[in-house]
């Protein structure tokens, strides 16, 4: 139903390189990301039923924006393990934890599809905007479920359908057109919208043995002063657009960015710029 792409290991090695390379840039955008995802993060923490004193697994934690919120929630009696494929981004997660004064955060560089953690050792797990990048998310779901204690919940946040995430769609389709490449299936494994296909993520959770699976949709518009703030965010993240435009010469790249800016300016508002996004928050429990 969602077959992993051939060459999954090479895909993940490239993903690690991209995120190592973009780690600093992603971290520099933390304030924007924090504003954009505040509501989604609170909802994710609630859905995973994270409470004081708990031991929580954060998969694909990145520079740890949500990790800090979880660390605050579990308090000094609890702990968070932030894991990510990219060792560079986890260094920033550690810096951010230290600078914010948290002593209850540990980090571990690990592929979310191959977590080597003690079975039944976590009270909850989350993954914010990471699971869609996994070539074999079912494998990751099985590995995450195994680490949970009976009754513990896992909540994942991913993008929904292309029509509800028009900026992501416009970015990728415009970049592909300028690179002379054919349009891609937006749901192809490992892509930004790969888990947005209606019903897919619930099915993957169930197939991986999770129970009481439920998905909530959440509007998460990206509100910024102007379109260039969004383009800065895209340029400093490990967006697939950068890989696509990495193949073309400078003139074609400039033309592609100008076209992208023109298309995304359709989301200018009287008060600034507002890019619509819809997220899926899916929760499942280990029985
Ligand atoms: C969009 S960032 C999200 C980071 C963080 N959760 C947040 O919301 O700020 C995606 C993260 O997924 C990580 N990632 C991608 N594939 C992964 C995999 N197979 N295993 C673990 N992490 C992965 C990347 O290294 C990156 O840090």
């Amino acid at each position: 139903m969602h077959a992993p792409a051939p060459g999954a290991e090479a895909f993940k090695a490239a993903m690690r390189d991209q995120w190592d390379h973009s780690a600093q840039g992603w971290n520099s955008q933390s304030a924007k990301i924090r504003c954009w995802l505040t509501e989604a993060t609170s909802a994710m923490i609630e859905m995973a039923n994270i409470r004081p004193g708990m031991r929580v697994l954060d998969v694909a934690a990145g520079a740890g924006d949500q990790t800090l919120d979880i660390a605050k929630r579990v308090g000094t009696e609890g702990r968070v393990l932030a894991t990510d494929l990219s060792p560079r981004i986890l260094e920033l997660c550690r810096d951010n934890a230290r600078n914010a004064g948290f002593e209850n955060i540990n980090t571990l560089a690990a592929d979310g599809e191959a977590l080597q953690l003690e079975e039944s050792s976590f009270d909850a797990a989350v993954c914010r905007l990471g699971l869609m990048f996994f070539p074999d998310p079912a494998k990751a779901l099985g590995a995450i479920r195994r680490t949970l204690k009976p009754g513990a919940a896992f909540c994942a946040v991913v993008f929904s359908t292309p029509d509800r995430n028009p900026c992501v769609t416009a970015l990728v389709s415009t970049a592909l057109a300028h690179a002379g490449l054919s349009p891609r299936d937006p749901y192809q494994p490992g892509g930004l919208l790969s888990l947005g296909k209606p019903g897919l993520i619930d099915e993957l959770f169930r197939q991986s043995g999770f129970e009481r699976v439920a998905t909530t949709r959440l509007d998460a518009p990206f509100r910024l002063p102007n379109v260039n703030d969004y383009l800065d965010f895209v340029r400093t993240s490990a967006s697939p657009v950068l890989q696509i435009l990495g193949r073309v010469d400078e003139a074609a790249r400039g033309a592609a960015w100008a076209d992208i800016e023109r298309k995304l300016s359709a989301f200018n508002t009287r008060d600034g710029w507002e890019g619509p996004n819809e997220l899926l928050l899916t929760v499942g429990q280990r029985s």
Side-chain angles (χ1 to χ4, degrees):
M1 164 175 204
H2 191 73
E9 292 311 312
F11 178 89
K12 284 188 283 191
M15 180 75 70
R16 183 175 49 241
D17 288 350
Q18 284 154 26
W19 280 100
D20 272 348
H21 182 74
S22 303
Q24 202 70 55
W26 179 263
N27 193 45
S28 73
Q29 302 287 322
S30 284
K32 281 180 199 169
I33 297 167
R34 168 155 279 269
C35 277
W36 172 36
L37 296 176
T38 299
E39 199 185 337
T41 307
S42 304
M44 174 183 80
I45 288 174
E46 273 313 306
M47 287 172 76
N49 197 26
I50 296 173
R51 297 281 176 263
M54 281 188 166
R55 186 163 183 238
V56 180
L57 172 64
D58 186 356
V59 178
D65 180 56
Q66 73 291 313
T67 316
L68 302 191
D69 290 336
I70 298 164
K72 187 169 175 201
R73 180 65 166 259
V74 299
T76 50
E77 300 297 309
R79 290 209 79 75
V80 192
L81 178 64
T83 68
D84 199 281
L85 189 61
S86 156
R88 291 284 91 76
I89 210 163
L90 278 184
E91 283 171 18
L92 299 167
C93 178
R94 275 196 295 279
D95 291 349
N96 291 334
R98 196 175 39 246
N99 294 339
F102 287 105
E103 292 178 358
N104 57 351
I105 295 175
N106 295 95
T107 60
L108 175 73
D111 173 4
E113 294 180 1
L115 293 169
Q116 306 281 334
L117 297 167
E118 195 188 333
E119 181 159 7
S120 308
S121 56
F122 288 93
D123 301 293
V126 298
C127 182
R128 190 183 83 174
L129 292 185
L131 197 61
M132 66 277 177
F133 289 127
F134 292 24
D136 191 350
K139 200 168 166 192
L141 288 169
I144 294 165
R145 183 183 165 276
R146 195 180 156 278
T147 70
L148 292 176
K149 295 177 186 172
F154 168 58
C155 183
V157 179
V158 299
F159 290 106
S160 73
T161 47
D163 57 318
R164 306 287 294 167
N165 293 283
C167 299
V168 175
T169 307
L171 278 165
V172 176
S173 62
T174 310
L176 286 169
H178 280 266
L181 299 170
S182 327
R184 278 184 192 165
D185 172 3
Y187 300 127
Q188 87 181 25
L192 276 166
L193 304 180
S194 65
L195 295 177
K197 192 174 197 169
L200 175 61
I201 190 162
D202 296 63
E203 186 58 26
L204 290 172
F205 265 60
R206 287 196 194 95
Q207 279 173 6
S208 309
F210 280 102
E211 295 185 352
R212 296 195 182 82
V213 177
T215 291
T216 299
R217 290 172 182 275
L218 185 80
D219 273 322
F222 213 146
R223 293 192 181 96
L224 293 164
N226 66 65
V227 66
N228 284 309
D229 293 300
Y230 183 67
L231 297 181
D232 283 349
F233 163 74
V234 174
R235 283 200 189 92
T236 49
S237 69
S239 168
V241 171
L242 304 185
Q243 282 82 63
I244 299 166
L245 294 181
R247 303 162 175 231
V248 303
D249 64 33
E250 216 173 309
R253 199 174 312 134
W257 281 113
D259 198 9
I260 287 172
E261 180 180 342
R262 190 182 54 74
K263 287 185 178 148
L264 295 186
S265 294
F267 300 102
N268 286 337
T269 69
R270 217 185 284 168
D271 306 319
W273 184 86
E274 185 173 320
N277 281 287
E278 187 185 66
L279 303 175
L280 302 179
L281 284 80
T282 303
V283 68
Q285 227 181 51
R286 182 176 191 182
S287 58

